[in-house]
Amino acid sequence: MKQKDFIFNIFFLLFLNLLIKPFWILGIDRGVQNAVGAESYGLYFAVLNFTIIFNMLLDFGLTNFNNRNIAQNTQLLSKHVSSILSLKVLLGVLYFVIVLFAGIIVGYSNFQLKILIWLALNQFLNALILYLRSNVAALLMFKTDGVLSVLDRLITILICSVLLWSNIADKSFQIMWFVYAQTAAYLIAAAVALSIVLYNAKFIRLTWNFTFFRAILKKSFPFAMLALLMSIYGRIDSVLIERILPSPDAAYQAGIFASAFRLLDALVNVSLLFAVILLPLFSKMLKKKEDLVPIIKSAFTLLFFFAVTSTVLLVAYRVPVITSLYHPEISGEAVRVFVILIFCLIPWSMTYIFGTLLTANGSMRLLNITSAIAIVINIAINFTLIPILEARGAAIASLATQSSIMIMQFIIAFRLLKIPFSTLPYFRCLLYVCLLIASTCFAIQYLHFGLILNLLICGCVALVWAFVTRLIPLGFIREVFPKA
């Protein structure tokens, strides 16, 4: 894949996700929290992250391993799909047993266990979809993968829109309705993804080859460890808030953290789209010993522009953004958490380049070591600050963790693959940041057109600065729109 193809596919994925994800995050997910209240949503959010921590058992590194392996050896698709789907079923059973047992051990109530069971089912379906999509992406079918990446959200939006804003129900919205709607959406999306993969794999039946299972699990184990470690340091913050703080303040503070985390999570999912394309692309290029520098530079400049611009604008307009999203009783505290948490977007986004590059290179031991270090940093800071600063303490822990992992992965990737540190346009980045901050400060002082219009104007000015500083070369436009 040429650089122009990479840029075109990135923009296509961004276009699809920007059509769907903002309404999901700001309309449905936020609407559910406002409908059920901070405490009820905070309980759901904490249990959700609890199930995500155990996702390694569902996937066992198969998705990333499969993405890299099929991208380099497409002839193995049919053989691997028939066996790995069987293995996924066995892993799903193991996951259910362990998650339910863990929920009982930590002292979840009957209602929390009910949510846990349904969310565990949702995690299984989501993991199945991600595995199926890894095959689609490995075949470089990025447009199809783009549609699959938003399908479950689109279906959930349709279901929840009816439940939230119509008179079809005779009582107020319940948090379990949200869970059930996601289950239905995952089932439909999984069925569509499965049909696409089976068509391309010429798949006939499941095979229960336990010798193959052992071999594939042995190869995917480093990927599984990485997934587990990443889920711990990326998702444990809200779980620790709910477990460390006394009730009922624990659920409320978890709800505050969820409110602040929502926009970050939406933006991180946009950055994740880069990894979807970069992993199979890096894998093929490394196997063929092609020059990585042009793709690394393109990915870095686009992600840097997106992450820094989003962070600066949201910090500048943090109060009107948060107060427009949530009820007054939680918005004040959510702003104080948000202004810390949103800075995680920059290092988190960068790890989707450097971490993906190391994954494609097979440097799993180094990735696992850096992730283990990140967990130690995260837990140490959380246990120190949550009792004092509550949700803000967890936000500080998250920022410190993501920054540490970015620095470690950046240094390791460049040194290991012998990529010159001069590859990245540091001076252009610095100049862009200065111009962006200056123009945003001016906008805050003199523009009073309303939140949405102000953000749009600032975003357009930011894009102009990106072209002026050549952070984003004008040639990118020709590569995305070749007939322009």
Side-chain angles (χ1 to χ4, degrees):
M1 182 185 286
K2 296 180 182 179
Q3 181 178 346
K4 67 178 182 180
D5 297 318
F6 162 71
I7 295 171
F8 176 82
N9 281 295
I10 279 292
F11 274 89
F12 178 76
L13 276 175
L14 288 172
F15 172 73
L16 283 180
N17 279 266
L18 289 175
L19 279 179
I20 302 299
K21 296 292 178 68
F23 189 76
W24 160 256
I25 296 293
L26 303 179
I28 301 301
D29 197 45
R30 177 187 68 91
V32 169
Q33 178 168 349
N34 285 337
V36 302
E39 289 187 21
S40 182
Y41 188 91
L43 185 148
Y44 155 82
F45 187 71
V47 176
L48 172 64
N49 284 312
F50 185 79
T51 63
I52 291 174
I53 288 174
F54 292 91
N55 266 6
M56 181 273 285
L57 298 171
L58 275 176
D59 184 67
F60 216 82
L62 291 172
T63 298
N64 282 337
F65 167 77
N66 185 73
N67 198 326
R68 178 175 179 265
N69 192 42
I70 298 301
Q72 295 179 340
N73 308 280
T74 54
Q75 72 278 3
L76 296 176
L77 177 63
S78 181
K79 174 186 175 182
H80 279 206
V81 167
S82 61
S83 295
I84 291 179
L85 281 176
S86 304
L87 180 56
K88 295 287 284 186
V89 173
L90 295 178
L91 292 174
V93 173
L94 176 66
Y95 171 80
F96 269 99
V97 172
I98 292 179
V99 167
L100 183 58
F101 181 74
I104 295 171
I105 290 296
V106 300
Y108 278 160
S109 66
N110 289 337
F111 180 67
Q112 287 173 313
L113 289 175
K114 179 183 177 181
I115 296 178
L116 181 70
I117 291 170
W118 280 96
L119 289 178
L121 173 60
N122 289 352
Q123 290 305 310
F124 169 74
L125 293 171
N126 186 45
L128 178 61
I129 294 168
L130 290 175
Y131 163 69
L132 295 169
R133 284 181 53 202
S134 75
N135 290 286
V136 176
L139 295 174
L140 304 186
M141 299 168 59
F142 293 123
K143 295 182 182 66
T144 303
D145 182 59
V147 174
L148 292 175
S149 72
V150 299
L151 182 58
D152 61 292
R153 290 290 183 255
L154 177 60
I155 296 169
T156 311
I157 286 171
L158 295 175
I159 296 172
C160 288
S161 294
V162 174
L163 293 175
L164 280 169
W165 299 308
S166 74
N167 296 320
I168 194 170
D170 58 357
K171 56 182 177 180
S172 59
F173 193 93
Q174 308 293 309
I175 192 64
M176 287 305 301
W177 297 359
F178 187 44
V179 178
Y180 298 149
Q182 291 178 72
T183 304
Y186 281 136
L187 281 169
I188 296 170
V192 173
L194 181 62
S195 64
I196 293 170
V197 171
L198 298 189
Y199 174 80
N200 285 278
K202 305 297 186 288
F203 173 76
I204 299 175
R205 62 185 178 85
L206 294 173
T207 58
W208 301 88
N209 186 336
F210 288 91
T211 301
F212 176 84
F213 291 171
R214 285 193 297 270
I216 207 74
L217 288 175
K218 183 177 179 180
K219 291 179 181 178
S220 67
F221 180 74
F223 296 88
M225 284 303 302
L226 179 62
L228 173 63
L229 297 173
M230 289 176 64
S231 65
I232 291 174
Y233 75 70
R235 292 286 178 172
I236 202 171
D237 304 284
S238 62
V239 176
L240 291 177
I241 292 172
E242 201 268 336
R243 291 290 95 184
I244 291 174
L245 293 175
S247 298
D249 194 46
Y252 178 76
Q253 286 296 318
I256 294 297
F257 187 87
S259 303
F261 186 80
R262 180 169 288 112
L263 277 175
L264 172 63
D265 192 33
L267 294 169
V268 165
N269 278 318
V270 174
S271 300
L272 176 61
L273 299 176
F274 281 73
V276 170
I277 290 182
L278 287 174
L279 181 56
L281 183 57
F282 280 153
S283 299
K284 272 190 177 294
M285 294 177 73
L286 286 165
K287 184 177 182 180
K288 295 180 179 180
K289 302 188 185 313
E290 295 177 359
D291 184 16
L292 296 167
V293 169
I295 298 297
I296 292 173
K297 191 172 182 179
S298 296
F300 175 82
T301 54
L302 289 172
L303 261 183
F304 182 87
F305 168 76
F306 167 74
V308 170
T309 304
S310 300
T311 301
V312 170
L313 295 187
L314 287 173
V315 168
Y317 289 96
R318 58 192 180 275
V319 174
V321 165
I322 297 299
T323 53
S324 67
L325 294 178
Y326 304 113
H327 295 315
E329 60 266 23
I330 70 166
S331 60
E333 290 189 55
V335 166
R336 289 190 287 272
V337 177
F338 177 77
V339 76
I340 302 169
L341 203 54
I342 193 60
F343 278 98
C344 293
L345 177 63
I346 298 172
W348 206 333
S349 297
M350 294 301 105
T351 61
Y352 286 131
I353 301 174
F354 311 129
T356 302
L357 182 56
L358 289 170
T359 302
N361 190 55
S363 305
M364 305 309 298
R365 180 173 174 273
L366 292 170
L367 282 170
N368 284 323
I369 290 172
T370 57
S371 296
I373 294 171
I375 290 174
V376 173
I377 294 171
N378 182 278
I379 292 178
I381 298 176
N382 268 318
F383 270 94
T384 302
L385 295 184
I386 286 177
I388 303 171
L389 300 175
E390 300 178 319
R392 280 184 295 160
I396 294 170
S398 184
L399 179 57
T401 303
Q402 296 297 337
S403 299
S404 300
I405 201 76
M406 179 200 69
I407 293 169
M408 289 186 286
Q409 289 183 355
F410 170 76
I411 294 172
I412 292 170
F414 275 63
R415 287 187 174 177
L416 185 64
L417 296 172
K418 297 180 172 57
I419 300 170
F421 283 96
S422 58
T423 295
L424 303 182
Y426 304 105
F427 176 74
R428 292 177 186 176
C429 290
L430 179 61
L431 179 59
Y432 171 74
V433 170
C434 292
L435 291 171
L436 175 64
I437 292 174
S439 60
T440 303
C441 291
F442 178 87
I444 293 172
Q445 186 71 26
Y446 296 104
L447 297 184
H448 306 288
F449 299 117
L451 176 61
I452 301 299
L453 187 54
N454 280 359
L455 287 174
L456 286 173
I457 293 172
C458 289
C460 291
V461 172
L463 189 60
V464 171
W465 289 139
F467 287 129
V468 168
T469 60
R470 297 185 63 198
L471 176 68
I472 300 178
L474 286 171
F476 276 20
I477 297 179
R478 291 191 295 271
E479 289 169 348
V480 178
F481 306 103
K483 295 182 181 180

